[in-house]
Amino acid sequence: RIEREEDPEEIQARIEREEAAREIKAEFDSLVAMLEPSACTDGNYFENVMDTMIAALDSLVSWEPESSEMATAKAGNVSMSAAHISALTMISDMQALAKKSGDKRLASSLKWIPKKLGLNPLISICKKGRAPTYRTNRDMRMACRDVERGVSESVLMIASHTALSALSSPARATDFVVTCRPMLEHTMVRDRHAAVLVAGGYFRILAATERPVWEPFKRAFPSNFAHSTWPARAAYPFLEVPARQWAASCGAAEEVATVGLVERITRADTLGDVCEGLRRWAV
């Protein structure tokens, strides 16, 4: 059998791609380091994390398969790129980071991100030292988009939680996690990223001295409440926090609470479509 000699240009292209993959991995490693609680030292922490994440995702999204990968895809066996495998590893690292934070609510909420995106089997494959393979290039690209979503949502959750814990109060960080839990579990993928981003912004600008957001909800929706509560849980903070901010700006003497409205809607609409529509409208 005659072996085809590799073209020098192909060799150079492969070397450049390997170097680019190492640079992307270094960006992800830097991003994970920024998510450590000790890294939050000033009021610009969240913005700095977002800038680093956007730069890393920009490199990841713009990654294009080389010609040999395209040829393999036509043959029915295309492997995920090294860059996206690094991103999968980062998602796994962030799961471990959430457990290390000591907040069980954060860790249990974060697990829904790879689960709902179907990334857990891919993470398991990568941990065994193999690359996930697909029958078509389209299937591979769809999986890569899910990996990119998983990175973005996980970073948003941990960075918001870290910023709130360090710069506001642990109670405010708990409010944020409790808010995001039903959205991560039930909200459609296309709506979830924006909802988490807005929720983090709401709680970062809410005064640390403000009373806990979820206390009125717990009183109105006890554990034996007859109807499904997750649509109400998902909608409530997007109505309550802006109402409090509006009341504060007007100098209102009495407390504003939207939980009564949410409770009446839930009793009237047991499927939760109205509450879900309110959450989408608010976001």
Side-chain angles (χ1 to χ4, degrees):
R1 187 178 62 178
I2 300 176
E3 295 286 350
R4 183 180 72 85
E5 292 186 4
E6 196 168 7
D7 185 77
E9 293 183 358
E10 293 181 355
I11 296 175
Q12 182 62 30
R14 187 178 71 250
I15 293 174
E16 291 176 355
R17 286 177 61 79
E18 290 173 352
E19 179 63 27
R22 284 193 291 270
E23 290 177 359
I24 292 176
K25 185 180 184 304
E27 289 179 344
F28 285 138
D29 291 342
S30 173
L31 188 55
V32 171
M34 292 181 70
L35 296 174
E36 292 280 354
S38 58
C40 184
T41 57
D42 58 58
N44 295 323
Y45 167 78
F46 185 80
E47 288 74 14
N48 294 336
V49 172
M50 291 299 101
D51 289 342
T52 305
M53 182 189 74
I54 290 171
L57 285 178
D58 182 61
S59 302
L60 194 63
V61 171
S62 59
W63 184 277
E64 292 292 337
E66 61 181 345
S67 57
S68 62
E69 289 177 346
M70 295 294 289
T72 307
K74 294 176 182 178
N77 185 24
V78 59
S79 298
M80 182 174 282
S81 69
H84 284 86
I85 290 175
S86 297
L88 275 172
T89 303
M90 180 188 175
I91 293 173
S92 179
D93 292 342
M94 286 189 286
Q95 300 280 321
L97 190 64
K99 293 178 181 178
K100 193 171 70 172
S101 71
D103 191 332
K104 294 182 179 180
R105 291 188 182 92
L106 177 62
S108 64
S109 298
L110 214 64
K111 72 180 183 181
W112 289 104
I113 295 174
K115 182 175 182 178
K116 289 296 183 178
L117 292 170
L119 300 181
N120 284 333
L122 307 185
I123 293 173
S124 298
I125 292 173
C126 293
K127 286 182 177 179
K128 296 176 182 177
R130 304 199 306 268
T133 57
Y134 302 89
R135 295 184 61 185
T136 66
N137 193 58
R138 179 177 179 274
D139 292 341
M140 187 268 290
R141 286 184 178 276
M142 290 176 64
C144 288
R145 296 296 86 84
D146 287 336
V147 172
E148 292 154 13
R149 289 190 188 100
V151 169
S152 182
E153 291 176 9
S154 299
V155 170
L156 274 176
M157 284 292 298
I158 296 180
S160 296
H161 181 271
T162 301
L164 289 168
S165 298
L167 305 176
S168 182
S169 68
R172 194 63 66 239
T174 299
D175 278 343
F176 168 73
V177 174
V178 172
T179 295
C180 292
R181 171 63 186 266
M183 293 190 299
L184 293 174
E185 185 176 356
H186 298 288
T187 304
M188 295 178 65
V189 170
R190 68 186 182 193
D191 298 330
R192 202 164 56 203
H193 185 277
V196 173
L197 184 62
V198 172
Y202 273 176
F203 288 109
R204 284 196 307 278
I205 62 178
L206 195 64
T209 56
E210 183 74 51
R211 69 189 188 282
V213 171
W214 285 96
E215 281 186 358
F217 188 92
K218 292 176 181 177
R219 291 195 296 268
F221 290 84
S223 58
N224 61 349
F225 192 77
H227 308 301
S228 174
T229 62
W230 78 259
R233 286 169 58 87
Y236 165 70
F238 293 97
L239 304 175
E240 177 70 10
V241 176
R244 290 189 185 187
Q245 293 169 343
W246 172 81
S249 67
C250 297
E254 60 184 43
E255 295 183 351
V256 175
T258 60
V259 68
L261 170 65
V262 176
E263 181 191 13
R264 292 192 297 274
I265 291 174
T266 302
R267 291 185 184 279
D269 175 28
T270 56
L271 296 179
D273 293 336
V274 176
C275 280
E276 179 63 9
L278 279 173
R279 184 199 57 77
R280 287 198 301 267
W281 165 79
V283 171

